Amino acid sequence: MKLFDVYPLFDVNIVKGQGCKVWDDKGQEYLDLYGGHAVISIGHSHPHYIKKVTEQLNKIGFYSNSVINKLQVELAERLGRISGYEDYQLFLINSGAEANENAMKLASFKNPTAGRILACEKAFHGRTSLAVEVTHNRKIVAPINDNHHVRFLPLNDIEPWVRELSRGGVAAVILEPIQGVGGIQMATPEFAQKLAYACKRYGAVLICDEIQCGYGRSGKFFAHQWLGIKPDIITVAKGIANGFPMGGVLISPEFEPVYGQLGTTFGGNHLACAAALAVLDIFEEEGLVENAHEVGDYLIEKIKQIDNPKIKEVRGRGLMIGIDLEVAHKEVRQPLIYQEHCFTGCAGTNVLRLLPPLCLTKAEADEFIEKFKKVL
Ligand SMILES: Cc1ncc(COP(=O)(O)O)c(C=O)c1O
């Protein structure tokens, strides 16, 4: 059997990682400003993470969601405390798309007669059923997923959102506080607050997709916490367990759980919870949210200081940064990898996307700046 060839690959075989560095099979070191697509939050191969996951594996890796799992309870309590959502409820699954599927299902159960969802132009929410339907990319929506539930509206232009909400029949509004795939476009506080108010007024569930921008990356635990809003549902994944597949739905106390309404085989298993708890240990021990804020500000400022006509605009918060280029990103990204040995992400055709581990140091930020300047 061969692989189903859906990924255009870089010709690099990564075999080892440590902190913000990775190495290929030839021993070449790379600076990682990509974090395996915003997944590596605490850095690669953190010794505490390895210890905790190994200890758990030596006890039990998996059982089932039909018995008590105290690790899930501990994770819910600690996540509530660290994120400021102690009164919310946690449902655990295995990926970001699954988190959004379950969030929208909950919204639909709450608003059973409302069949519409509002989403943002340029949004990305995943590749499964309803998650892909609310993703603004026709190319990846299969005909069977195109069920006309969704209206895409412009970010930061509140009027059409209020108009659609006032027409009624909207079960949920789903919003990335900072768009990732969309090219690091940021919701403004004014837009987000008016949207949250309109959702309350017209009975729509407000879902914040924090899968990429959340979990400390923006320099606050959640990116919407910069905007002064409190969503009804928050979805997380990516950095939650530093690469162990895991997603979560944080659900406001206004939702009553119903036995059997949601469920999963693998979600919240012992090993995933041990990984997620180790991530929170390291967040607290090493102040990674604060580090993302401080080093992120530093890096954004340093990029802004580069005097080069190829840089059009720099956007972002914390360690979620978009560099809008006058040239195609591949003209910069490819030499960054092959000549300067530095991984970055991208969005659209012109945006270089930086999503490093949250433990990035200022020295590593400087190292990136030097490599980036050389390539420019
Ligand atoms: C904002 C956002 N939502 C949802 C997803 C989907 O997550 P997953 O690939 O884990 O299904 C992603 C993945 O890139 C994302 O960036």
Side-chain angles (χ1 to χ4, degrees):
M1 198 188 287
K2 62 182 175 111
L3 295 174
F4 196 55
D5 190 13
V6 287
Y7 299 112
L9 298 179
F10 287 113
D11 188 19
V12 184
N13 177 11
I14 294 299
V15 293
K16 196 176 89 168
Q18 187 75 61
C20 295
K21 299 281 165 77
V22 290
W23 285 263
D24 70 15
D25 53 353
K26 298 177 189 75
Q28 175 64 54
E29 179 183 295
Y30 295 78
L31 179 64
D32 186 8
L33 269 282
Y34 181 47
H37 204 80
V39 167
I40 301 301
S41 47
I42 56 168
H44 297 277
S45 301
H46 194 292
H48 179 74
Y49 178 84
I50 295 172
K51 179 170 171 279
K52 288 294 189 180
V53 173
T54 309
E55 277 174 9
Q56 186 59 48
L57 197 50
N58 278 314
K59 284 190 229 156
I60 188 164
F62 175 85
Y63 194 63
S64 142
N65 278 318
S66 64
V67 296
I68 291 167
N69 179 346
K70 291 220 167 140
L71 295 169
Q72 286 188 4
V73 180
E74 189 185 343
L75 178 59
E77 280 171 6
R78 288 195 50 199
L79 181 54
R81 226 174 311 132
I82 195 170
S83 67
Y85 280 95
E86 276 176 278
D87 57 338
Y88 276 43
Q89 312 159 81
L90 180 65
F91 179 67
L92 293 165
I93 52 289
N94 315 288
S95 69
E98 255 186 286
N100 286 333
E101 292 292 345
N102 281 288
M104 289 184 279
K105 266 180 90 169
L106 280 173
S108 176
F109 280 127
K110 195 166 185 64
N111 289 321
T113 57
R116 303 200 299 140
I117 298 187
L118 305 183
C120 247
E121 289 172 2
K122 293 189 175 180
F124 184 90
H125 297 294
R127 291 169 180 275
T128 57
S129 178
L130 199 47
V132 82
E133 205 187 331
V134 293
T135 287
H136 195 216
N137 179 356
R138 301 292 309 162
K139 285 194 290 222
I140 64 169
V141 181
I144 204 164
N145 299 132
D146 190 6
N147 294 314
H148 311 289
H149 296 113
V150 190
R151 192 75 202 260
F152 293 102
L153 299 170
L155 180 68
N156 293 333
D157 179 5
I158 190 65
E159 269 174 36
W161 297 80
V162 176
R163 209 179 313 126
E164 283 299 325
L165 282 160
S166 68
R167 279 180 52 210
V170 177
V173 168
I174 184 162
L175 175 78
E176 292 162 89
I178 305 174
Q179 292 186 327
V181 174
I184 316 295
Q185 306 290 348
M186 303 198 285
T188 63
E190 192 195 1
F191 168 75
Q193 286 167 25
K194 286 185 173 161
L195 184 61
Y197 176 79
C199 284
K200 278 264 168 311
R201 174 157 182 215
Y202 295 108
V205 173
L206 178 60
I207 302 168
C208 275
D209 177 341
E210 293 267 358
I211 288 159
Q212 188 167 145
C213 59
Y215 239 80
R217 180 154 297 281
S218 75
K220 285 193 191 282
F221 197 86
F222 288 125
H224 70 257
Q225 289 167 330
W226 290 103
L227 305 176
I229 58 168
K230 198 164 183 197
D232 304 300
I233 298 183
I234 304 157
T235 54
V236 293
K238 293 207 187 286
I240 179 172
N242 207 50
F244 197 98
M246 190 180 219
V249 189
L250 281 68
I251 305 156
S252 102
E254 288 185 19
F255 289 76
E256 279 284 331
V258 176
Y259 281 157
Q261 202 174 61
L262 305 182
T264 158
T265 298
F266 295 124
N269 66 72
H270 296 69
L271 205 49
C273 285
L277 285 166
V279 165
L280 292 184
D281 288 343
I282 296 159
F283 266 40
E284 285 179 327
E285 186 70 23
E286 299 183 6
L288 290 188
V289 183
E290 297 75 15
N291 189 68
H293 190 176
E294 191 185 328
V295 179
D297 278 357
Y298 176 81
L299 182 53
I300 290 170
E301 199 42 50
K302 285 267 172 176
I303 300 166
K304 284 185 174 165
Q305 282 167 12
I306 299 174
D307 184 18
N308 189 298
K310 284 188 187 142
I311 300 178
K312 214 157 78 178
E313 194 184 14
V314 185
R315 297 186 290 268
R317 264 193 206 286
L319 290 171
M320 182 165 184
I321 303 169
I323 309 172
D324 214 331
L325 299 167
E326 287 290 351
V327 295
H329 58 62
K330 67 171 190 273
E331 287 183 33
V332 174
R333 198 174 174 220
Q334 299 233 356
L336 268 174
I337 294 182
Y338 294 120
Q339 290 162 30
E340 294 304 317
H341 304 118
C342 174
F343 275 100
T344 57
C346 62
T349 49
N350 292 74
V351 178
L352 200 67
R353 201 162 24 139
L354 307 182
L355 305 161
L358 307 184
C359 57
L360 190 81
T361 63
K362 285 187 180 165
E364 286 164 335
D366 289 339
E367 199 183 328
F368 168 73
I369 294 292
E370 287 316 306
K371 289 175 187 290
F372 184 46
K373 276 191 194 160
K374 270 198 215 162
V375 164
L376 284 177

